[in-house]
Amino acid sequence: MSGPGPRPEVRPDQRNARGAAALPRNARGLAALPRKVRSFAGLPLFTKMWFLPTWVALGVSRALILAVPFRRLAPRLGTAQGTSAHVPLLTQSQESRARAIGRTVRLAARYTPWTSNCFPQAVVARMLLGIHGIPYAIHFGLMPDGSGGMRAHAWVVAGRVPVTGGHSFHQYTVVGVFAGP
């Protein structure tokens, strides 16, 4: 039985910073797989349990956002609170769970092959907070983008916890709030 044959010549532009032959693009992802598995194994149990359902929910929410008019989605986001900012009060354990939900949603959003920007993240965070019975508020805001247009943003807060979208009260003008439990 013979070996794999002669190795192809590696051009200088195909070498990494240390001079070793660089891996092809698809092989680089596979080379990182053991590291990613170790990282995932070190995550909290809540994140590991909810990662896949959250990832799938991000896809479903993205599809709904693209296919269903906002006026039909809005009633499922919570009770309309007008345009005044709303921050529900939480217990310490609810705040801890809200932080875990936020971490899980943000982590899953990083690994979706589709766009999982602020709105799908807010929808999924609202769903998970609702499942866990944690009061929340989804805020929609606008700000000028400097070129005469507007930038939109959605963020979710639960108590003092910015679940998704960060602390956006000072950057965006709130144009709609939906609150739950």
Side-chain angles (χ1 to χ4, degrees), residues 101-160:
I101 288 170
R103 278 192 304 268
T104 303
V105 170
R106 289 187 302 274
L107 179 67
R110 285 200 325 247
Y111 292 98
T112 60
W114 54 84
T115 302
S116 292
N117 58 10
C118 59
F119 194 8
Q121 288 184 42
V123 170
V124 172
R126 173 264 175 264
M127 180 191 76
L128 291 174
L129 291 164
I131 286 171
H132 291 280
I134 300 172
Y136 64 87
I138 299 178
H139 296 79
F140 293 94
L142 293 173
M143 72 179 263
D145 68 359
S147 64
M150 299 294 270
R151 287 187 56 189
H153 187 49
W155 66 99
V156 179
V157 295
R160 298 174 296 178

Side-chain angles (χ1 to χ4, degrees), residues 8-161:
E9 186 62 33
V10 178
R11 296 188 321 257
D13 64 324
Q14 293 176 320
R15 296 192 176 277
N16 65 18
R18 294 186 308 248
L23 294 171
R25 174 167 279 184
N26 59 351
R28 278 183 254 156
L30 292 176
L33 189 60
R35 178 183 51 80
K36 290 186 181 285
V37 168
R38 281 191 307 275
S39 293
F40 186 79
L43 292 172
L45 181 60
F46 179 87
T47 301
K48 287 189 278 194
M49 287 177 32
W50 282 98
F51 179 83
L52 186 59
T54 300
W55 188 84
V56 171
L58 283 165
V60 171
S61 69
R62 175 70 177 164
L64 286 173
I65 289 166
L66 294 175
V68 178
F70 182 78
R71 63 181 163 74
R72 303 244 328 177
L73 282 177
R76 288 159 182 78
L77 297 176
T79 306
Q81 302 292 312
T83 59
S84 60
H86 180 80
V87 180
L89 298 176
L90 302 182
T91 65
Q92 193 68 22
S93 64
Q94 287 176 323
E95 281 189 6
S96 177
R97 181 53 49 99
R99 272 190 213 88
I101 288 170
R103 278 192 304 268
T104 303
V105 170
R106 289 187 302 274
L107 179 67
R110 285 200 325 247
Y111 292 98
T112 60
W114 54 84
T115 302
S116 292
N117 58 10
C118 59
F119 194 8
Q121 288 184 42
V123 170
V124 172
R126 173 264 175 264
M127 180 191 76
L128 291 174
L129 291 164
I131 286 171
H132 291 280
I134 300 172
Y136 64 87
I138 299 178
H139 296 79
F140 293 94
L142 293 173
M143 72 179 263
D145 68 359
S147 64
M150 299 294 270
R151 287 187 56 189
H153 187 49
W155 66 99
V156 179
V157 295
R160 298 174 296 178
V161 179

